[in-house]
Amino acid sequence: MNTAKLKSIMVLHGDTGAILAKALGITPQSFSLKLNEKNGAEFTQNEITKIKERYSLSPEDIDTIFFI
């Protein structure tokens, strides 16, 4: 996961981890674990879709952030 790219997109939109966590319906702690890939935590397909829609990301952006 490209954590830096997701963080930069969040900053461009004025979001913090807590704000995005709330939008995803997860706790800030869960968001942090997923963002930092701790304890095997990963974003679900549903969460990735919500992030894509929130920031109007292209399929290429999604691939770069989550799958490369």
Side-chain angles (χ1 to χ4, degrees):
M1 183 175 152
N2 188 337
T3 303
K5 182 162 182 160
L6 180 55
K7 284 182 178 180
S8 69
I9 290 168
M10 289 168 57
V11 168
L12 286 173
H13 288 84
D15 280 352
T16 64
I19 292 169
L20 184 54
K22 185 174 182 179
L24 296 175
I26 60 177
T27 66
Q29 293 82 3
S30 291
F31 177 79
S32 179
L33 287 172
K34 292 176 183 203
L35 184 67
N36 296 302
E37 299 179 294
K38 299 287 183 184
N39 300 329
E42 296 180 342
F43 288 101
T44 66
Q45 284 300 121
N46 188 40
E47 292 163 349
I48 292 170
T49 299
K50 288 180 182 180
I51 291 168
K52 178 184 178 201
E53 292 170 356
R54 183 173 184 88
Y55 301 129
S56 301
L57 300 176
S58 70
E60 292 78 20
D61 289 330
I62 294 300
D63 284 347
T64 302
I65 294 168
F66 295 102
F67 301 112
I68 294 179

